[in-house]
Amino acid sequence: MNNNNISLFNFEKEYSNVDKELFINRDLFIKRLTDLEKIEENNKLKFEIHKISEIISNPEKDVYGILNISNNGGTVKIRFNFLYEELQQIKNALTIERSKYYLTRLKKSLLEEKTSKINDLNLNRWKEYQDIITDSLWILNKRDNSGAHNAGYWGNFIPQIPNQFLRRYTKKGEWILDPFLGSGTTLIECKRLGRNGIGVELLPEVVEIAKNNIDKEKNPHRVITDIINGDSTDLDFKFELSKKSIKSVQFLIMHPPYWDIIKFSSNSKDLSNANNIEHFLELFGKVVDNTYEVLDKGRYFAVVIGDKYSNGEWIPLAFYTMNEVLKRDYVLKSIIIKNFEETKGKMNQKELWRYRALVGGFYVFKHEYIFLFKKGKK
Ligand SMILES: C[S@@+](CC[C@H](N)C(=O)[O-])C[C@H]1O[C@@H](n2cnc3c(N)ncnc32)[C@H](O)[C@@H]1O
């Protein structure tokens, strides 16, 4: 049989956009792959791989029972596109040695987990995590409003921010700290993703909002989420966490007020009431100092913040804030630019802002920053 007989090529076009999840009977699939490893003729191997490609697309052709859910707990969930592309790679390899190399790699990815110290991502199946962002430009157009998430709190961040970081920089069961909790977005994501979370919020009325939101979210992984009503510029985090028998946290996320862009209260401890930029940075620096001790060395810290425009001048508040962290024992790992949709306040003023920009010679904010740090310069 020559390659032309294996005319999978319309099939490729037909199915390349499908990205459903498949349930694979691991034992039977591994057995099938092991049998295929014994084949010595490349075209025969390609033909057998073609049959598997067809099976995953047309379950009724599943003569091997690969797609059956295993009774002995050997079922694995796998993305169609990932498996399909792996099979294509085996099939398109020029030599039998190369085909078998890819075949063995696929087998290994199903048998062995390769995780790092800071997350649960299986690096043997890294191609499957297509929704984990690895570029520094984040264009997130649609807010995740599912479950308990809602855009009700003016100044909250979109849930995809903590979602991305928790999956990439923490493991299930670890602890996350958010010292500017607001409406509780981070803790809602903790519940979804099986991480424990502690949030600190200055304003009692906002603590109530957060509690309500967080309570609405299911807790399938039975994690702990807790809120401290307090001032993060003046909190003994070590002591507060020890009261809850928490020794340290493994991820820190801060979404402070962008100085006075949104006034959260008239409370003098509220960072949005800082008298000037130096005062804002001093207060923010205190929170960085206060939380330093409780974050494990080598673990990550994200700060979400935007710039400010005032009296005809663009104030790079975000970079000043970044520098405040870099004065401490943190290494900068990434500067992420995230698109920024109109806040409720500006939504109806789009045209007005455009006019002001044309008159004033500046550009309307469409982005904000996420700075990612790692604790420990050495
Ligand atoms: C930008 S919002 C955070 C929003 C949050 N990420 C969310 O998704 O809802 C900043 C929050 O920090 C709180 N805050 C301001 N100063 C604080 C302080 N000194 N200690 C603790 N929280 C403070 C504000 O009340 C506000 O809720």
Side-chain angles (χ1 to χ4, degrees), residues 153 155-157 179-183 185 201-203 230-233 255-257 264 269-271:
Y153 187 56
N156 63 5
F157 54 29
F180 298 99
L181 184 69
S183 60
T185 314
E201 170 56 51
L202 179 70
L203 309 170
D231 171 11
S232 289
T233 68
H255 184 211
F264 287 95
K269 314 275 187 200
D270 179 341
L271 266 68

mmCIF file with all atom_site columns, all heavy atoms in Angstrom, residues 153 155-157 179-183 185 201-203 230-233 255-257 264 269-271, ligand 1:
data_model
loop_
_atom_site.group_PDB
_atom_site.id
_atom_site.type_symbol
_atom_site.label_atom_id
_atom_site.label_alt_id
_atom_site.label_comp_id
_atom_site.label_asym_id
_atom_site.label_entity_id
_atom_site.label_seq_id
_atom_site.pdbx_PDB_ins_code
_atom_site.Cartn_x
_atom_site.Cartn_y
_atom_site.Cartn_z
_atom_site.occupancy
_atom_site.B_iso_or_equiv
_atom_site.pdbx_formal_charge
_atom_site.auth_seq_id
_atom_site.auth_comp_id
_atom_site.auth_asym_id
_atom_site.auth_atom_id
_atom_site.pdbx_PDB_model_num
ATOM   1   N N   . TYR A 1 153 ? -19.401 44.822 40.778 1.00 0.00 ? 153 TYR A N   1
ATOM   2   C CA  . TYR A 1 153 ? -18.565 45.695 41.619 1.00 0.00 ? 153 TYR A CA  1
ATOM   3   C C   . TYR A 1 153 ? -17.691 46.576 40.734 1.00 0.00 ? 153 TYR A C   1
ATOM   4   O O   . TYR A 1 153 ? -16.888 46.082 39.930 1.00 0.00 ? 153 TYR A O   1
ATOM   5   C CB  . TYR A 1 153 ? -17.693 44.835 42.537 1.00 0.00 ? 153 TYR A CB  1
ATOM   6   C CG  . TYR A 1 153 ? -16.915 45.612 43.568 1.00 0.00 ? 153 TYR A CG  1
ATOM   7   C CD1 . TYR A 1 153 ? -17.563 46.457 44.467 1.00 0.00 ? 153 TYR A CD1 1
ATOM   8   C CD2 . TYR A 1 153 ? -15.526 45.501 43.648 1.00 0.00 ? 153 TYR A CD2 1
ATOM   9   C CE1 . TYR A 1 153 ? -16.848 47.177 45.421 1.00 0.00 ? 153 TYR A CE1 1
ATOM   10  C CE2 . TYR A 1 153 ? -14.805 46.208 44.601 1.00 0.00 ? 153 TYR A CE2 1
ATOM   11  C CZ  . TYR A 1 153 ? -15.470 47.044 45.482 1.00 0.00 ? 153 TYR A CZ  1
ATOM   12  O OH  . TYR A 1 153 ? -14.764 47.750 46.415 1.00 0.00 ? 153 TYR A OH  1
ATOM   13  N N   . GLY A 1 155 ? -14.836 48.298 39.456 1.00 0.00 ? 155 GLY A N   1
ATOM   14  C CA  . GLY A 1 155 ? -13.399 48.186 39.735 1.00 0.00 ? 155 GLY A CA  1
ATOM   15  C C   . GLY A 1 155 ? -12.942 46.763 39.955 1.00 0.00 ? 155 GLY A C   1
ATOM   16  O O   . GLY A 1 155 ? -11.814 46.546 40.398 1.00 0.00 ? 155 GLY A O   1
ATOM   17  N N   . ASN A 1 156 ? -13.779 45.779 39.671 1.00 0.00 ? 156 ASN A N   1
ATOM   18  C CA  . ASN A 1 156 ? -13.291 44.394 39.822 1.00 0.00 ? 156 ASN A CA  1
ATOM   19  C C   . ASN A 1 156 ? -12.504 43.989 38.575 1.00 0.00 ? 156 ASN A C   1
ATOM   20  O O   . ASN A 1 156 ? -12.578 44.641 37.543 1.00 0.00 ? 156 ASN A O   1
ATOM   21  C CB  . ASN A 1 156 ? -14.430 43.419 40.114 1.00 0.00 ? 156 ASN A CB  1
ATOM   22  C CG  . ASN A 1 156 ? -15.442 43.326 39.002 1.00 0.00 ? 156 ASN A CG  1
ATOM   23  O OD1 . ASN A 1 156 ? -15.280 43.909 37.934 1.00 0.00 ? 156 ASN A OD1 1
ATOM   24  N ND2 . ASN A 1 156 ? -16.511 42.600 39.244 1.00 0.00 ? 156 ASN A ND2 1
ATOM   25  N N   . PHE A 1 157 ? -11.722 42.931 38.689 1.00 0.00 ? 157 PHE A N   1
ATOM   26  C CA  . PHE A 1 157 ? -11.010 42.490 37.484 1.00 0.00 ? 157 PHE A CA  1
ATOM   27  C C   . PHE A 1 157 ? -11.712 41.290 36.867 1.00 0.00 ? 157 PHE A C   1
ATOM   28  O O   . PHE A 1 157 ? -12.567 40.662 37.495 1.00 0.00 ? 157 PHE A O   1
ATOM   29  C CB  . PHE A 1 157 ? -9.515  42.266 37.677 1.00 0.00 ? 157 PHE A CB  1
ATOM   30  C CG  . PHE A 1 157 ? -9.038  41.342 38.764 1.00 0.00 ? 157 PHE A CG  1
ATOM   31  C CD1 . PHE A 1 157 ? -9.784  40.260 39.217 1.00 0.00 ? 157 PHE A CD1 1
ATOM   32  C CD2 . PHE A 1 157 ? -7.772  41.548 39.311 1.00 0.00 ? 157 PHE A CD2 1
ATOM   33  C CE1 . PHE A 1 157 ? -9.289  39.420 40.198 1.00 0.00 ? 157 PHE A CE1 1
ATOM   34  C CE2 . PHE A 1 157 ? -7.269  40.711 40.303 1.00 0.00 ? 157 PHE A CE2 1
ATOM   35  C CZ  . PHE A 1 157 ? -8.044  39.651 40.735 1.00 0.00 ? 157 PHE A CZ  1
ATOM   36  N N   . PRO A 1 179 ? -4.622  40.621 48.938 1.00 0.00 ? 179 PRO A N   1
ATOM   37  C CA  . PRO A 1 179 ? -4.780  41.663 49.968 1.00 0.00 ? 179 PRO A CA  1
ATOM   38  C C   . PRO A 1 179 ? -5.703  42.820 49.573 1.00 0.00 ? 179 PRO A C   1
ATOM   39  O O   . PRO A 1 179 ? -5.922  43.721 50.387 1.00 0.00 ? 179 PRO A O   1
ATOM   40  C CB  . PRO A 1 179 ? -3.352  42.186 50.182 1.00 0.00 ? 179 PRO A CB  1
ATOM   41  C CG  . PRO A 1 179 ? -2.466  41.296 49.398 1.00 0.00 ? 179 PRO A CG  1
ATOM   42  C CD  . PRO A 1 179 ? -3.296  40.676 48.331 1.00 0.00 ? 179 PRO A CD  1
ATOM   43  N N   . PHE A 1 180 ? -6.203  42.846 48.345 1.00 0.00 ? 180 PHE A N   1
ATOM   44  C CA  . PHE A 1 180 ? -7.188  43.865 47.922 1.00 0.00 ? 180 PHE A CA  1
ATOM   45  C C   . PHE A 1 180 ? -8.368  43.103 47.313 1.00 0.00 ? 180 PHE A C   1
ATOM   46  O O   . PHE A 1 180 ? -8.614  43.161 46.102 1.00 0.00 ? 180 PHE A O   1
ATOM   47  C CB  . PHE A 1 180 ? -6.573  44.811 46.885 1.00 0.00 ? 180 PHE A CB  1
ATOM   48  C CG  . PHE A 1 180 ? -5.387  45.601 47.383 1.00 0.00 ? 180 PHE A CG  1
ATOM   49  C CD1 . PHE A 1 180 ? -4.091  45.202 47.095 1.00 0.00 ? 180 PHE A CD1 1
ATOM   50  C CD2 . PHE A 1 180 ? -5.568  46.754 48.149 1.00 0.00 ? 180 PHE A CD2 1
ATOM   51  C CE1 . PHE A 1 180 ? -2.991  45.927 47.546 1.00 0.00 ? 180 PHE A CE1 1
ATOM   52  C CE2 . PHE A 1 180 ? -4.476  47.486 48.603 1.00 0.00 ? 180 PHE A CE2 1
ATOM   53  C CZ  . PHE A 1 180 ? -3.188  47.071 48.313 1.00 0.00 ? 180 PHE A CZ  1
ATOM   54  N N   . LEU A 1 181 ? -9.075  42.401 48.144 1.00 0.00 ? 181 LEU A N   1
ATOM   55  C CA  . LEU A 1 181 ? -10.026 41.399 47.652 1.00 0.00 ? 181 LEU A CA  1
ATOM   56  C C   . LEU A 1 181 ? -11.184 41.963 46.835 1.00 0.00 ? 181 LEU A C   1
ATOM   57  O O   . LEU A 1 181 ? -11.649 41.335 45.889 1.00 0.00 ? 181 LEU A O   1
ATOM   58  C CB  . LEU A 1 181 ? -10.594 40.587 48.817 1.00 0.00 ? 181 LEU A CB  1
ATOM   59  C CG  . LEU A 1 181 ? -11.509 39.458 48.357 1.00 0.00 ? 181 LEU A CG  1
ATOM   60  C CD1 . LEU A 1 181 ? -10.706 38.373 47.641 1.00 0.00 ? 181 LEU A CD1 1
ATOM   61  C CD2 . LEU A 1 181 ? -12.289 38.874 49.507 1.00 0.00 ? 181 LEU A CD2 1
ATOM   62  N N   . GLY A 1 182 ? -11.693 43.159 47.226 1.00 0.00 ? 182 GLY A N   1
ATOM   63  C CA  . GLY A 1 182 ? -12.860 43.694 46.514 1.00 0.00 ? 182 GLY A CA  1
ATOM   64  C C   . GLY A 1 182 ? -14.017 42.720 46.591 1.00 0.00 ? 182 GLY A C   1
ATOM   65  O O   . GLY A 1 182 ? -14.323 42.164 47.653 1.00 0.00 ? 182 GLY A O   1
ATOM   66  N N   . SER A 1 183 ? -14.625 42.444 45.422 1.00 0.00 ? 183 SER A N   1
ATOM   67  C CA  . SER A 1 183 ? -15.855 41.644 45.398 1.00 0.00 ? 183 SER A CA  1
ATOM   68  C C   . SER A 1 183 ? -15.604 40.141 45.437 1.00 0.00 ? 183 SER A C   1
ATOM   69  O O   . SER A 1 183 ? -16.543 39.364 45.312 1.00 0.00 ? 183 SER A O   1
ATOM   70  C CB  . SER A 1 183 ? -16.654 42.013 44.151 1.00 0.00 ? 183 SER A CB  1
ATOM   71  O OG  . SER A 1 183 ? -15.877 41.729 43.003 1.00 0.00 ? 183 SER A OG  1
ATOM   72  N N   . THR A 1 185 ? -13.461 38.110 43.437 1.00 0.00 ? 185 THR A N   1
ATOM   73  C CA  . THR A 1 185 ? -13.208 37.359 42.190 1.00 0.00 ? 185 THR A CA  1
ATOM   74  C C   . THR A 1 185 ? -12.145 36.261 42.385 1.00 0.00 ? 185 THR A C   1
ATOM   75  O O   . THR A 1 185 ? -12.320 35.121 41.935 1.00 0.00 ? 185 THR A O   1
ATOM   76  C CB  . THR A 1 185 ? -12.733 38.334 41.078 1.00 0.00 ? 185 THR A CB  1
ATOM   77  O OG1 . THR A 1 185 ? -13.582 39.470 41.092 1.00 0.00 ? 185 THR A OG1 1
ATOM   78  C CG2 . THR A 1 185 ? -12.760 37.688 39.715 1.00 0.00 ? 185 THR A CG2 1
ATOM   79  N N   . GLU A 1 201 ? -9.892  42.732 52.801 1.00 0.00 ? 201 GLU A N   1
ATOM   80  C CA  . GLU A 1 201 ? -10.621 43.880 52.246 1.00 0.00 ? 201 GLU A CA  1
ATOM   81  C C   . GLU A 1 201 ? -10.875 44.871 53.369 1.00 0.00 ? 201 GLU A C   1
ATOM   82  O O   . GLU A 1 201 ? -11.296 44.498 54.462 1.00 0.00 ? 201 GLU A O   1
ATOM   83  C CB  . GLU A 1 201 ? -11.920 43.395 51.576 1.00 0.00 ? 201 GLU A CB  1
ATOM   84  C CG  . GLU A 1 201 ? -12.901 44.463 51.169 1.00 0.00 ? 201 GLU A CG  1
ATOM   85  C CD  . GLU A 1 201 ? -12.342 45.541 50.223 1.00 0.00 ? 201 GLU A CD  1
ATOM   86  O OE1 . GLU A 1 201 ? -11.754 45.198 49.191 1.00 0.00 ? 201 GLU A OE1 1
ATOM   87  O OE2 . GLU A 1 201 ? -12.507 46.742 50.550 1.00 0.00 ? 201 GLU A OE2 1
ATOM   88  N N   . LEU A 1 202 ? -10.602 46.139 53.064 1.00 0.00 ? 202 LEU A N   1
ATOM   89  C CA  . LEU A 1 202 ? -10.707 47.195 54.074 1.00 0.00 ? 202 LEU A CA  1
ATOM   90  C C   . LEU A 1 202 ? -12.156 47.515 54.459 1.00 0.00 ? 202 LEU A C   1
ATOM   91  O O   . LEU A 1 202 ? -12.466 47.751 55.628 1.00 0.00 ? 202 LEU A O   1
ATOM   92  C CB  . LEU A 1 202 ? -10.034 48.462 53.504 1.00 0.00 ? 202 LEU A CB  1
ATOM   93  C CG  . LEU A 1 202 ? -10.041 49.705 54.369 1.00 0.00 ? 202 LEU A CG  1
ATOM   94  C CD1 . LEU A 1 202 ? -9.114  49.524 55.573 1.00 0.00 ? 202 LEU A CD1 1
ATOM   95  C CD2 . LEU A 1 202 ? -9.597  50.926 53.562 1.00 0.00 ? 202 LEU A CD2 1
ATOM   96  N N   . LEU A 1 203 ? -13.033 47.525 53.470 1.00 0.00 ? 203 LEU A N   1
ATOM   97  C CA  . LEU A 1 203 ? -14.380 48.067 53.706 1.00 0.00 ? 203 LEU A CA  1
ATOM   98  C C   . LEU A 1 203 ? -15.376 46.969 54.088 1.00 0.00 ? 203 LEU A C   1
ATOM   99  O O   . LEU A 1 203 ? -15.583 46.023 53.301 1.00 0.00 ? 203 LEU A O   1
ATOM   100 C CB  . LEU A 1 203 ? -14.866 48.794 52.449 1.00 0.00 ? 203 LEU A CB  1
ATOM   101 C CG  . LEU A 1 203 ? -13.870 49.834 51.895 1.00 0.00 ? 203 LEU A CG  1
ATOM   102 C CD1 . LEU A 1 203 ? -14.310 50.327 50.524 1.00 0.00 ? 203 LEU A CD1 1
ATOM   103 C CD2 . LEU A 1 203 ? -13.720 51.003 52.872 1.00 0.00 ? 203 LEU A CD2 1
ATOM   104 N N   . GLY A 1 230 ? -9.801  44.045 57.006 1.00 0.00 ? 230 GLY A N   1
ATOM   105 C CA  . GLY A 1 230 ? -8.671  44.736 57.625 1.00 0.00 ? 230 GLY A CA  1
ATOM   106 C C   . GLY A 1 230 ? -7.941  45.625 56.633 1.00 0.00 ? 230 GLY A C   1
ATOM   107 O O   . GLY A 1 230 ? -8.298  45.709 55.454 1.00 0.00 ? 230 GLY A O   1
ATOM   108 N N   . ASP A 1 231 ? -6.916  46.281 57.164 1.00 0.00 ? 231 ASP A N   1
ATOM   109 C CA  . ASP A 1 231 ? -6.123  47.227 56.379 1.00 0.00 ? 231 ASP A CA  1
ATOM   110 C C   . ASP A 1 231 ? -4.801  46.541 56.014 1.00 0.00 ? 231 ASP A C   1
ATOM   111 O O   . ASP A 1 231 ? -3.954  46.327 56.881 1.00 0.00 ? 231 ASP A O   1
ATOM   112 C CB  . ASP A 1 231 ? -5.892  48.481 57.237 1.00 0.00 ? 231 ASP A CB  1
ATOM   113 C CG  . ASP A 1 231 ? -4.900  49.434 56.605 1.00 0.00 ? 231 ASP A CG  1
ATOM   114 O OD1 . ASP A 1 231 ? -4.546  49.245 55.427 1.00 0.00 ? 231 ASP A OD1 1
ATOM   115 O OD2 . ASP A 1 231 ? -4.472  50.375 57.316 1.00 0.00 ? 231 ASP A OD2 1
ATOM   116 N N   . SER A 1 232 ? -4.618  46.246 54.757 1.00 0.00 ? 232 SER A N   1
ATOM   117 C CA  . SER A 1 232 ? -3.425  45.493 54.337 1.00 0.00 ? 232 SER A CA  1
ATOM   118 C C   . SER A 1 232 ? -2.131  46.279 54.523 1.00 0.00 ? 232 SER A C   1
ATOM   119 O O   . SER A 1 232 ? -1.056  45.696 54.515 1.00 0.00 ? 232 SER A O   1
ATOM   120 C CB  . SER A 1 232 ? -3.558  45.062 52.874 1.00 0.00 ? 232 SER A CB  1
ATOM   121 O OG  . SER A 1 232 ? -4.536  44.059 52.780 1.00 0.00 ? 232 SER A OG  1
ATOM   122 N N   . THR A 1 233 ? -2.246  47.620 54.669 1.00 0.00 ? 233 THR A N   1
ATOM   123 C CA  . THR A 1 233 ? -1.011  48.398 54.892 1.00 0.00 ? 233 THR A CA  1
ATOM   124 C C   . THR A 1 233 ? -0.525  48.234 56.327 1.00 0.00 ? 233 THR A C   1
ATOM   125 O O   . THR A 1 233 ? 0.580   48.623 56.665 1.00 0.00 ? 233 THR A O   1
ATOM   126 C CB  . THR A 1 233 ? -1.216  49.913 54.624 1.00 0.00 ? 233 THR A CB  1
ATOM   127 O OG1 . THR A 1 233 ? -2.095  50.442 55.626 1.00 0.00 ? 233 THR A OG1 1
ATOM   128 C CG2 . THR A 1 233 ? -1.780  50.176 53.246 1.00 0.00 ? 233 THR A CG2 1
ATOM   129 N N   . HIS A 1 255 ? -4.563  43.593 43.306 1.00 0.00 ? 255 HIS A N   1
ATOM   130 C CA  . HIS A 1 255 ? -5.262  44.484 42.375 1.00 0.00 ? 255 HIS A CA  1
ATOM   131 C C   . HIS A 1 255 ? -5.656  45.711 43.189 1.00 0.00 ? 255 HIS A C   1
ATOM   132 O O   . HIS A 1 255 ? -6.808  45.855 43.607 1.00 0.00 ? 255 HIS A O   1
ATOM   133 C CB  . HIS A 1 255 ? -6.489  43.759 41.805 1.00 0.00 ? 255 HIS A CB  1
ATOM   134 C CG  . HIS A 1 255 ? -7.240  44.522 40.772 1.00 0.00 ? 255 HIS A CG  1
ATOM   135 N ND1 . HIS A 1 255 ? -8.597  44.380 40.603 1.00 0.00 ? 255 HIS A ND1 1
ATOM   136 C CD2 . HIS A 1 255 ? -6.834  45.429 39.851 1.00 0.00 ? 255 HIS A CD2 1
ATOM   137 C CE1 . HIS A 1 255 ? -8.994  45.169 39.621 1.00 0.00 ? 255 HIS A CE1 1
ATOM   138 N NE2 . HIS A 1 255 ? -7.948  45.811 39.150 1.00 0.00 ? 255 HIS A NE2 1
ATOM   139 N N   . PRO A 1 256 ? -4.674  46.583 43.431 1.00 0.00 ? 256 PRO A N   1
ATOM   140 C CA  . PRO A 1 256 ? -4.950  47.726 44.298 1.00 0.00 ? 256 PRO A CA  1
ATOM   141 C C   . PRO A 1 256 ? -5.779  48.771 43.556 1.00 0.00 ? 256 PRO A C   1
ATOM   142 O O   . PRO A 1 256 ? -5.906  48.706 42.326 1.00 0.00 ? 256 PRO A O   1
ATOM   143 C CB  . PRO A 1 256 ? -3.542  48.274 44.584 1.00 0.00 ? 256 PRO A CB  1
ATOM   144 C CG  . PRO A 1 256 ? -2.741  47.896 43.396 1.00 0.00 ? 256 PRO A CG  1
ATOM   145 C CD  . PRO A 1 256 ? -3.302  46.586 42.899 1.00 0.00 ? 256 PRO A CD  1
ATOM   146 N N   . PRO A 1 257 ? -6.322  49.742 44.273 1.00 0.00 ? 257 PRO A N   1
ATOM   147 C CA  . PRO A 1 257 ? -6.926  50.879 43.564 1.00 0.00 ? 257 PRO A CA  1
ATOM   148 C C   . PRO A 1 257 ? -5.865  51.496 42.658 1.00 0.00 ? 257 PRO A C   1
ATOM   149 O O   . PRO A 1 257 ? -4.678  51.467 42.997 1.00 0.00 ? 257 PRO A O   1
ATOM   150 C CB  . PRO A 1 257 ? -7.290  51.845 44.704 1.00 0.00 ? 257 PRO A CB  1
ATOM   151 C CG  . PRO A 1 257 ? -7.412  50.983 45.921 1.00 0.00 ? 257 PRO A CG  1
ATOM   152 C CD  . PRO A 1 257 ? -6.407  49.890 45.739 1.00 0.00 ? 257 PRO A CD  1
ATOM   153 N N   . PHE A 1 264 ? -12.892 54.338 46.303 1.00 0.00 ? 264 PHE A N   1
ATOM   154 C CA  . PHE A 1 264 ? -13.661 53.237 46.875 1.00 0.00 ? 264 PHE A CA  1
ATOM   155 C C   . PHE A 1 264 ? -14.389 53.637 48.161 1.00 0.00 ? 264 PHE A C   1
ATOM   156 O O   . PHE A 1 264 ? -15.375 53.010 48.529 1.00 0.00 ? 264 PHE A O   1
ATOM   157 C CB  . PHE A 1 264 ? -12.754 52.029 47.114 1.00 0.00 ? 264 PHE A CB  1
ATOM   158 C CG  . PHE A 1 264 ? -12.365 51.344 45.830 1.00 0.00 ? 264 PHE A CG  1
ATOM   159 C CD1 . PHE A 1 264 ? -11.167 51.646 45.194 1.00 0.00 ? 264 PHE A CD1 1
ATOM   160 C CD2 . PHE A 1 264 ? -13.225 50.437 45.232 1.00 0.00 ? 264 PHE A CD2 1
ATOM   161 C CE1 . PHE A 1 264 ? -10.829 51.039 43.997 1.00 0.00 ? 264 PHE A CE1 1
ATOM   162 C CE2 . PHE A 1 264 ? -12.899 49.830 44.024 1.00 0.00 ? 264 PHE A CE2 1
ATOM   163 C CZ  . PHE A 1 264 ? -11.691 50.139 43.408 1.00 0.00 ? 264 PHE A CZ  1
ATOM   164 N N   . LYS A 1 269 ? -7.438  54.983 55.173 1.00 0.00 ? 269 LYS A N   1
ATOM   165 C CA  . LYS A 1 269 ? -6.513  53.852 54.925 1.00 0.00 ? 269 LYS A CA  1
ATOM   166 C C   . LYS A 1 269 ? -6.648  53.308 53.504 1.00 0.00 ? 269 LYS A C   1
ATOM   167 O O   . LYS A 1 269 ? -5.845  52.483 53.068 1.00 0.00 ? 269 LYS A O   1
ATOM   168 C CB  . LYS A 1 269 ? -6.834  52.683 55.888 1.00 0.00 ? 269 LYS A CB  1
ATOM   169 C CG  . LYS A 1 269 ? -7.031  53.060 57.309 1.00 0.00 ? 269 LYS A CG  1
ATOM   170 C CD  . LYS A 1 269 ? -5.711  53.134 58.002 1.00 0.00 ? 269 LYS A CD  1
ATOM   171 C CE  . LYS A 1 269 ? -5.933  53.347 59.490 1.00 0.00 ? 269 LYS A CE  1
ATOM   172 N NZ  . LYS A 1 269 ? -4.754  53.872 60.141 1.00 0.00 ? 269 LYS A NZ  1
ATOM   173 N N   . ASP A 1 270 ? -7.699  53.714 52.845 1.00 0.00 ? 270 ASP A N   1
ATOM   174 C CA  . ASP A 1 270 ? -7.991  53.246 51.490 1.00 0.00 ? 270 ASP A CA  1
ATOM   175 C C   . ASP A 1 270 ? -6.964  53.857 50.530 1.00 0.00 ? 270 ASP A C   1
ATOM   176 O O   . ASP A 1 270 ? -6.799  55.084 50.490 1.00 0.00 ? 270 ASP A O   1
ATOM   177 C CB  . ASP A 1 270 ? -9.426  53.703 51.154 1.00 0.00 ? 270 ASP A CB  1
ATOM   178 C CG  . ASP A 1 270 ? -9.883  53.312 49.777 1.00 0.00 ? 270 ASP A CG  1
ATOM   179 O OD1 . ASP A 1 270 ? -9.042  53.004 48.921 1.00 0.00 ? 270 ASP A OD1 1
ATOM   180 O OD2 . ASP A 1 270 ? -11.113 53.357 49.554 1.00 0.00 ? 270 ASP A OD2 1
ATOM   181 N N   . LEU A 1 271 ? -6.276  53.015 49.768 1.00 0.00 ? 271 LEU A N   1
ATOM   182 C CA  . LEU A 1 271 ? -5.234  53.523 48.859 1.00 0.00 ? 271 LEU A CA  1
ATOM   183 C C   . LEU A 1 271 ? -5.783  54.521 47.849 1.00 0.00 ? 271 LEU A C   1
ATOM   184 O O   . LEU A 1 271 ? -5.028  55.324 47.296 1.00 0.00 ? 271 LEU A O   1
ATOM   185 C CB  . LEU A 1 271 ? -4.546  52.366 48.119 1.00 0.00 ? 271 LEU A CB  1
ATOM   186 C CG  . LEU A 1 271 ? -3.267  51.834 48.770 1.00 0.00 ? 271 LEU A CG  1
ATOM   187 C CD1 . LEU A 1 271 ? -3.561  51.127 50.079 1.00 0.00 ? 271 LEU A CD1 1
ATOM   188 C CD2 . LEU A 1 271 ? -2.523  50.891 47.823 1.00 0.00 ? 271 LEU A CD2 1
HETATM 189 C C1  . LIG B 2 .   ? -9.384  47.407 42.425 1.00 0.00 ? 1   LIG B C1  1
HETATM 190 S S1  . LIG B 2 .   ? -10.305 46.832 43.781 1.00 0.00 ? 1   LIG B S1  1
HETATM 191 C C2  . LIG B 2 .   ? -10.076 45.105 43.761 1.00 0.00 ? 1   LIG B C2  1
HETATM 192 C C3  . LIG B 2 .   ? -11.141 44.416 42.983 1.00 0.00 ? 1   LIG B C3  1
HETATM 193 C C4  . LIG B 2 .   ? -11.053 42.907 42.995 1.00 0.00 ? 1   LIG B C4  1
HETATM 194 N N1  . LIG B 2 .   ? -9.920  42.419 42.238 1.00 0.00 ? 1   LIG B N1  1
HETATM 195 C C5  . LIG B 2 .   ? -12.322 42.315 42.416 1.00 0.00 ? 1   LIG B C5  1
HETATM 196 O O1  . LIG B 2 .   ? -12.257 41.591 41.410 1.00 0.00 ? 1   LIG B O1  1
HETATM 197 O O2  . LIG B 2 .   ? -13.406 42.616 42.956 1.00 0.00 ? 1   LIG B O2  1
HETATM 198 C C6  . LIG B 2 .   ? -9.360  47.356 45.150 1.00 0.00 ? 1   LIG B C6  1
HETATM 199 C C7  . LIG B 2 .   ? -9.958  47.037 46.491 1.00 0.00 ? 1   LIG B C7  1
HETATM 200 O O3  . LIG B 2 .   ? -8.983  47.340 47.502 1.00 0.00 ? 1   LIG B O3  1
HETATM 201 C C8  . LIG B 2 .   ? -9.660  47.789 48.661 1.00 0.00 ? 1   LIG B C8  1
HETATM 202 N N2  . LIG B 2 .   ? -8.682  48.519 49.489 1.00 0.00 ? 1   LIG B N2  1
HETATM 203 C C9  . LIG B 2 .   ? -8.249  49.785 49.364 1.00 0.00 ? 1   LIG B C9  1
HETATM 204 N N3  . LIG B 2 .   ? -7.342  50.085 50.325 1.00 0.00 ? 1   LIG B N3  1
HETATM 205 C C10 . LIG B 2 .   ? -7.192  48.951 51.057 1.00 0.00 ? 1   LIG B C10 1
HETATM 206 C C11 . LIG B 2 .   ? -6.403  48.613 52.173 1.00 0.00 ? 1   LIG B C11 1
HETATM 207 N N4  . LIG B 2 .   ? -5.596  49.505 52.764 1.00 0.00 ? 1   LIG B N4  1
HETATM 208 N N5  . LIG B 2 .   ? -6.480  47.349 52.680 1.00 0.00 ? 1   LIG B N5  1
HETATM 209 C C12 . LIG B 2 .   ? -7.314  46.431 52.116 1.00 0.00 ? 1   LIG B C12 1
HETATM 210 N N6  . LIG B 2 .   ? -8.112  46.702 51.057 1.00 0.00 ? 1   LIG B N6  1
HETATM 211 C C13 . LIG B 2 .   ? -8.040  47.946 50.526 1.00 0.00 ? 1   LIG B C13 1
HETATM 212 C C14 . LIG B 2 .   ? -10.779 48.630 48.087 1.00 0.00 ? 1   LIG B C14 1
HETATM 213 O O4  . LIG B 2 .   ? -11.834 48.785 49.028 1.00 0.00 ? 1   LIG B O4  1
HETATM 214 C C15 . LIG B 2 .   ? -11.195 47.838 46.853 1.00 0.00 ? 1   LIG B C15 1
HETATM 215 O O5  . LIG B 2 .   ? -12.254 46.977 47.138 1.00 0.00 ? 1   LIG B O5  1
#
